[in-house]
Amino acid sequence: MATTTAPLDTRSPAKLKTVRIEIKRQASPDAEPRWEKFDLPLRTGMNAISAMMEIAANPVTADGRETTPIAYDANCLEEVCGSCAMRINGKARMACSALIDKVQENGVVRLEPLSKMPVVRDLSVDRSVLFENLKRVKAWVPLDGSYDLGSGPRITPQQQEEAYPLSRCISCTICMEVCPQFNEETGFVGAATIAQAKLFNEHPTGRVLKEERLHALMGDGGIQECGYAQNCVNACPKMLPLTKAISDVSRDVMIQAVKDVFTR
Ligand code: SF4
Protein backbone atom coordinates (compact mmCIF):
# COMPACT_ATOMS: atom_id res chain seq x y z
CA MET A 1 0.00 0.00 0.00
CA ALA A 2 1.34 3.47 -0.91
CA THR A 3 2.29 5.65 2.04
CA THR A 4 2.35 9.07 0.41
CA THR A 5 1.22 11.87 2.71
CA ALA A 6 0.08 15.44 2.23
CA PRO A 7 2.84 18.04 2.74
CA LEU A 8 3.19 19.68 6.12
CA ASP A 9 1.25 22.90 6.38
CA THR A 10 4.29 25.20 6.27
CA ARG A 11 2.24 28.31 5.51
CA SER A 12 1.42 28.93 9.14
CA PRO A 13 3.99 27.12 11.28
CA ALA A 14 2.85 29.04 14.34
CA LYS A 15 -0.58 27.43 13.99
CA LEU A 16 0.72 23.95 13.23
CA LYS A 17 -0.96 21.57 15.62
CA THR A 18 -0.79 17.92 16.37
CA VAL A 19 -3.65 15.49 16.56
CA ARG A 20 -3.82 12.52 18.89
CA ILE A 21 -5.03 9.32 17.22
CA GLU A 22 -6.22 6.66 19.66
CA ILE A 23 -6.59 3.23 18.08
CA LYS A 24 -8.26 0.15 19.50
CA ARG A 25 -5.81 -2.67 18.77
CA GLN A 26 -6.53 -6.39 18.73
CA ALA A 27 -3.80 -8.75 17.57
CA SER A 28 -6.15 -11.58 16.52
CA PRO A 29 -9.87 -12.45 16.63
CA ASP A 30 -9.50 -13.95 20.14
CA ALA A 31 -6.97 -11.50 21.61
CA GLU A 32 -7.88 -8.95 24.28
CA PRO A 33 -8.32 -5.47 22.78
CA ARG A 34 -6.12 -2.62 24.01
CA TRP A 35 -5.76 1.07 23.16
CA GLU A 36 -2.66 2.75 21.75
CA LYS A 37 -2.12 6.47 21.26
CA PHE A 38 -0.21 8.19 18.48
CA ASP A 39 0.59 11.88 17.93
CA LEU A 40 0.75 13.23 14.39
CA PRO A 41 1.24 16.74 13.00
CA LEU A 42 -2.12 17.97 11.69
CA ARG A 43 -1.73 18.27 7.93
CA THR A 44 -3.89 20.15 5.44
CA GLY A 45 -6.65 17.85 4.12
CA MET A 46 -5.60 14.97 6.36
CA ASN A 47 -8.20 12.23 6.65
CA ALA A 48 -8.42 9.16 8.88
CA ILE A 49 -6.90 6.96 6.17
CA SER A 50 -3.85 9.19 5.64
CA ALA A 51 -3.39 9.31 9.42
CA MET A 52 -3.50 5.51 9.59
CA MET A 53 -1.06 5.25 6.67
CA GLU A 54 1.44 7.41 8.58
CA ILE A 55 1.02 5.37 11.73
CA ALA A 56 1.34 2.06 9.85
CA ALA A 57 4.55 3.31 8.19
CA ASN A 58 6.03 4.54 11.48
CA PRO A 59 4.35 2.70 14.36
CA VAL A 60 5.70 4.63 17.35
CA THR A 61 3.28 5.52 20.14
CA ALA A 62 2.84 8.96 21.69
CA ASP A 63 5.16 7.93 24.55
CA GLY A 64 7.92 6.93 22.10
CA ARG A 65 7.44 3.15 22.21
CA GLU A 66 7.78 1.12 19.01
CA THR A 67 4.77 -1.07 18.30
CA THR A 68 3.46 -3.31 15.52
CA PRO A 69 2.06 -1.69 12.35
CA ILE A 70 -1.70 -1.19 12.57
CA ALA A 71 -4.03 -3.24 10.36
CA TYR A 72 -7.04 -1.76 8.60
CA ASP A 73 -8.98 -2.26 5.37
CA ALA A 74 -8.92 0.38 2.64
CA ASN A 75 -8.90 0.29 -1.11
CA CYS A 76 -10.49 2.97 -3.30
CA LEU A 77 -10.09 5.88 -0.83
CA GLU A 78 -13.18 7.57 -2.33
CA GLU A 79 -16.26 5.97 -0.72
CA VAL A 80 -16.76 3.36 -3.42
CA CYS A 81 -15.29 0.11 -2.10
CA GLY A 82 -16.91 0.31 1.36
CA SER A 83 -13.99 -1.40 3.07
CA CYS A 84 -12.77 1.34 5.45
CA ALA A 85 -15.96 1.65 7.52
CA MET A 86 -15.14 1.95 11.23
CA ARG A 87 -16.18 3.82 14.35
CA ILE A 88 -14.60 7.26 14.50
CA ASN A 89 -15.12 9.11 17.77
CA GLY A 90 -18.01 6.76 18.44
CA LYS A 91 -19.76 7.22 15.08
CA ALA A 92 -19.80 4.59 12.33
CA ARG A 93 -18.50 6.17 9.13
CA MET A 94 -16.08 5.82 6.25
CA ALA A 95 -12.47 6.56 7.18
CA CYS A 96 -11.64 7.82 3.67
CA SER A 97 -14.11 10.71 3.89
CA ALA A 98 -13.46 11.51 7.57
CA LEU A 99 -11.41 14.71 7.55
CA ILE A 100 -9.40 14.89 10.75
CA ASP A 101 -10.06 18.57 11.41
CA LYS A 102 -13.82 17.90 11.09
CA VAL A 103 -14.07 14.72 13.18
CA GLN A 104 -11.53 15.51 15.93
CA GLU A 105 -12.86 16.30 19.38
CA ASN A 106 -10.51 18.36 21.54
CA GLY A 107 -7.63 17.27 19.31
CA VAL A 108 -8.40 13.55 19.68
CA VAL A 109 -9.66 11.03 17.11
CA ARG A 110 -10.58 7.59 18.43
CA LEU A 111 -10.63 4.79 15.84
CA GLU A 112 -12.37 1.50 16.65
CA PRO A 113 -13.48 -1.43 14.50
CA LEU A 114 -17.19 -1.83 13.75
CA SER A 115 -18.68 -3.40 16.85
CA LYS A 116 -21.09 -5.87 15.22
CA MET A 117 -18.66 -7.63 12.89
CA PRO A 118 -15.98 -10.08 14.09
CA VAL A 119 -12.58 -8.42 14.37
CA VAL A 120 -9.89 -9.91 12.13
CA ARG A 121 -7.14 -7.66 13.44
CA ASP A 122 -7.11 -4.10 14.81
CA LEU A 123 -9.54 -2.12 12.63
CA SER A 124 -10.09 -4.84 10.07
CA VAL A 125 -13.38 -6.75 10.44
CA ASP A 126 -15.07 -9.68 8.72
CA ARG A 127 -18.17 -8.47 6.84
CA SER A 128 -19.14 -11.87 5.44
CA VAL A 129 -22.54 -11.75 7.16
CA LEU A 130 -23.69 -9.14 4.64
CA PHE A 131 -22.53 -11.23 1.69
CA GLU A 132 -24.23 -14.32 3.14
CA ASN A 133 -27.43 -12.31 3.54
CA LEU A 134 -27.19 -11.09 -0.06
CA LYS A 135 -26.89 -14.73 -1.14
CA ARG A 136 -29.92 -15.57 1.00
CA VAL A 137 -32.10 -13.12 -0.98
CA LYS A 138 -30.47 -13.95 -4.33
CA ALA A 139 -29.38 -10.34 -4.84
CA TRP A 140 -28.44 -10.72 -8.47
CA VAL A 141 -29.84 -10.85 -11.99
CA PRO A 142 -29.93 -14.53 -13.06
CA LEU A 143 -28.22 -15.40 -16.35
CA ASP A 144 -28.90 -18.38 -18.61
CA GLY A 145 -25.25 -18.82 -19.51
CA SER A 146 -21.93 -17.13 -20.11
CA TYR A 147 -22.45 -16.71 -23.85
CA ASP A 148 -23.47 -13.40 -25.44
CA LEU A 149 -27.14 -12.89 -24.52
CA GLY A 150 -27.49 -9.68 -26.52
CA SER A 151 -28.77 -6.44 -25.09
CA GLY A 152 -30.81 -6.52 -21.90
CA PRO A 153 -34.44 -5.42 -21.58
CA ARG A 154 -35.22 -1.74 -21.96
CA ILE A 155 -35.64 0.23 -18.75
CA THR A 156 -37.55 3.50 -18.64
CA PRO A 157 -35.92 6.66 -17.27
CA GLN A 158 -38.38 6.48 -14.35
CA GLN A 159 -37.25 2.92 -13.53
CA GLN A 160 -33.62 4.03 -13.81
CA GLU A 161 -34.21 6.89 -11.42
CA GLU A 162 -35.70 4.54 -8.86
CA ALA A 163 -33.02 1.87 -9.27
CA TYR A 164 -29.92 4.08 -9.37
CA PRO A 165 -29.93 5.22 -5.71
CA LEU A 166 -30.30 1.59 -4.58
CA SER A 167 -27.43 0.51 -6.83
CA ARG A 168 -25.09 2.90 -4.99
CA CYS A 169 -24.75 0.57 -1.98
CA ILE A 170 -21.05 -0.01 -1.23
CA SER A 171 -21.54 -2.91 1.24
CA CYS A 172 -19.94 -0.92 4.04
CA THR A 173 -22.32 -2.47 6.66
CA ILE A 174 -22.73 0.87 8.47
CA CYS A 175 -26.54 0.47 8.28
CA MET A 176 -26.16 -2.83 10.14
CA GLU A 177 -23.78 -1.35 12.71
CA VAL A 178 -26.23 1.39 13.71
CA CYS A 179 -29.37 -0.79 13.65
CA PRO A 180 -30.59 -1.79 17.13
CA GLN A 181 -32.27 -4.85 15.60
CA PHE A 182 -29.13 -6.17 13.91
CA ASN A 183 -27.81 -8.58 16.51
CA GLU A 184 -27.37 -12.30 17.14
CA GLU A 185 -30.69 -12.56 18.94
CA THR A 186 -32.84 -11.42 16.00
CA GLY A 187 -30.58 -12.57 13.15
CA PHE A 188 -32.03 -9.59 11.23
CA VAL A 189 -30.68 -9.41 7.66
CA GLY A 190 -30.33 -5.62 7.83
CA ALA A 191 -31.32 -2.71 5.62
CA ALA A 192 -28.70 -3.18 2.89
CA THR A 193 -29.93 -6.67 2.06
CA ILE A 194 -33.55 -5.55 1.91
CA ALA A 195 -32.61 -2.61 -0.34
CA GLN A 196 -30.79 -4.95 -2.72
CA ALA A 197 -33.78 -7.32 -2.74
CA LYS A 198 -35.90 -4.37 -3.86
CA LEU A 199 -33.35 -3.35 -6.50
CA PHE A 200 -33.35 -6.80 -8.11
CA ASN A 201 -37.08 -7.36 -7.64
CA GLU A 202 -37.72 -4.29 -9.78
CA HIS A 203 -35.23 -5.25 -12.49
CA PRO A 204 -37.04 -6.62 -15.59
CA THR A 205 -34.88 -9.76 -15.59
CA GLY A 206 -34.10 -9.92 -11.88
CA ARG A 207 -37.79 -10.04 -10.97
CA VAL A 208 -38.06 -13.71 -12.02
CA LEU A 209 -36.62 -14.47 -8.56
CA LYS A 210 -38.93 -12.03 -6.75
CA GLU A 211 -41.02 -14.70 -5.01
CA GLU A 212 -37.90 -16.49 -3.78
CA ARG A 213 -36.50 -13.22 -2.43
CA LEU A 214 -39.75 -12.40 -0.64
CA HIS A 215 -39.90 -15.89 0.88
CA ALA A 216 -36.31 -15.47 2.05
CA LEU A 217 -37.36 -12.30 3.86
CA MET A 218 -40.17 -14.05 5.77
CA GLY A 219 -39.53 -15.80 9.06
CA ASP A 220 -36.52 -15.68 11.35
CA GLY A 221 -34.26 -12.70 10.74
CA GLY A 222 -36.59 -11.45 8.02
CA ILE A 223 -38.08 -8.07 7.32
CA GLN A 224 -40.49 -8.24 10.26
CA GLU A 225 -37.51 -7.80 12.61
CA CYS A 226 -37.14 -4.17 11.47
CA GLY A 227 -38.24 -1.82 14.25
CA TYR A 228 -38.19 1.31 12.03
CA ALA A 229 -35.60 3.02 14.21
CA GLN A 230 -34.45 4.70 10.96
CA ASN A 231 -30.82 4.86 12.13
CA CYS A 232 -29.83 3.17 8.86
CA VAL A 233 -31.13 5.87 6.56
CA ASN A 234 -29.47 8.58 8.64
CA ALA A 235 -26.08 6.84 8.74
CA CYS A 236 -25.81 5.47 5.18
CA PRO A 237 -22.85 7.26 3.52
CA LYS A 238 -24.40 6.79 0.06
CA MET A 239 -27.82 8.11 1.15
CA LEU A 240 -29.79 5.07 -0.02
CA PRO A 241 -33.57 5.48 0.46
CA LEU A 242 -33.51 2.64 2.99
CA THR A 243 -36.75 3.30 4.86
CA LYS A 244 -38.70 3.50 1.60
CA ALA A 245 -37.07 0.26 0.41
CA ILE A 246 -37.99 -1.47 3.68
CA SER A 247 -41.61 -0.20 3.47
CA ASP A 248 -41.95 -1.29 -0.17
CA VAL A 249 -40.46 -4.75 0.41
CA SER A 250 -42.50 -5.14 3.59
CA ARG A 251 -45.67 -4.52 1.56
CA ASP A 252 -44.56 -7.01 -1.10
CA VAL A 253 -43.83 -9.64 1.58
CA MET A 254 -47.35 -9.16 3.02
CA ILE A 255 -48.95 -9.51 -0.42
CA GLN A 256 -46.85 -12.63 -1.09
CA ALA A 257 -47.90 -14.12 2.25
CA VAL A 258 -51.59 -13.63 1.36
CA LYS A 259 -51.02 -15.14 -2.12
CA ASP A 260 -49.33 -18.13 -0.49
CA VAL A 261 -52.44 -18.82 1.58
CA PHE A 262 -54.45 -19.35 -1.60
CA THR A 263 -51.87 -21.04 -3.78
CA ARG A 264 -50.02 -23.46 -1.48
FE1 SF4 B 1 -23.46 0.99 3.51
FE2 SF4 B 1 -25.74 2.29 2.88
FE3 SF4 B 1 -25.14 -0.03 1.65
FE4 SF4 B 1 -25.85 -0.01 4.25
S1 SF4 B 1 -27.16 0.56 2.49
S2 SF4 B 1 -24.16 -1.18 3.35
S3 SF4 B 1 -24.94 1.93 4.95
S4 SF4 B 1 -23.99 1.91 1.53
Side-chain angles (χ1 to χ4, degrees):
M1 179 183 296
T3 55
T4 51
T5 54
L8 275 169
D9 186 353
T10 51
R11 289 169 302 172
S12 53
K15 291 184 183 169
L16 195 65
K17 290 185 256 172
T18 60
V19 61
R20 171 151 292 192
I21 310 287
E22 299 184 359
I23 300 182
K24 194 173 186 182
R25 310 282 315 261
Q26 188 170 330
S28 66
D30 301 321
E32 274 299 304
R34 68 186 198 285
W35 286 88
E36 283 186 341
K37 299 173 182 173
F38 303 86
D39 286 338
L40 296 178
L42 186 58
R43 299 172 193 276
T44 307
M46 187 182 207
N47 62 16
I49 291 284
S50 61
M52 289 190 292
M53 282 178 169
E54 277 193 58
I55 292 167
N58 181 31
V60 178
T61 62
D63 55 8
R65 188 174 47 82
E66 277 194 29
T67 184
T68 50
I70 58 166
Y72 58 95
D73 292 319
N75 195 355
C76 72
L77 310 186
E78 54 180 1
E79 269 194 6
V80 173
C81 75
S83 63
C84 68
M86 59 185 67
R87 296 177 68 85
I88 301 179
N89 278 349
K91 184 178 172 196
R93 54 176 304 160
M94 305 303 295
C96 58
S97 56
L99 292 172
I100 294 294
D101 59 352
K102 296 276 190 299
V103 298
Q104 60 82 25
E105 289 172 10
N106 300 318
V108 176
V109 176
R110 286 166 71 85
L111 305 179
E112 299 171 70
L114 293 175
S115 65
K116 295 190 178 174
M117 304 293 153
V119 172
V120 176
R121 180 172 174 156
D122 295 340
L123 301 164
S124 172
V125 296
D126 179 356
R127 293 184 181 76
S128 348
V129 62
L130 173 58
F131 302 105
E132 291 305 318
N133 288 344
L134 291 172
K135 283 193 246 172
R136 170 175 164 176
V137 300
K138 296 184 176 8
W140 55 74
V141 172
L143 291 176
D144 287 340
S146 55
Y147 52 89
D148 183 0
L149 296 170
S151 54
R154 293 180 73 83
I155 296 178
T156 65
Q158 289 79 8
Q159 287 172 316
Q160 285 173 13
E161 274 175 32
E162 188 145 358
Y164 180 67
L166 297 170
S167 74
R168 285 166 44 93
C169 177
I170 55 175
S171 306
C172 64
T173 69
I174 286 175
C175 55
M176 296 148 88
E177 171 76 12
V178 299
C179 174
Q181 290 297 100
F182 183 79
N183 54 55
E184 282 184 5
E185 203 175 312
T186 64
F188 180 41
V189 293
T193 298
I194 296 168
Q196 294 312 292
K198 175 175 162 67
L199 173 66
F200 291 103
N201 279 351
E202 312 243 318
H203 186 276
T205 307
R207 71 167 59 112
V208 297
L209 298 175
K210 181 171 180 178
E211 278 195 19
E212 288 177 57
R213 293 194 191 99
L214 297 178
H215 286 141
L217 287 170
M218 296 176 186
D220 290 347
I223 198 163
Q224 80 287 347
E225 302 290 356
C226 174
Y228 290 97
Q230 303 190 28
N231 293 1
C232 55
V233 76
N234 293 323
C236 175
K238 305 309 283 186
M239 294 183 284
L240 264 72
L242 293 171
T243 42
K244 179 171 188 320
I246 291 170
S247 298
D248 290 350
V249 176
S250 192
R251 180 203 58 218
D252 288 349
V253 165
M254 292 281 284
I255 292 169
Q256 184 63 46
V258 172
K259 270 192 203 164
D260 289 348
V261 169
F262 295 102
T263 57
R264 289 190 157 194

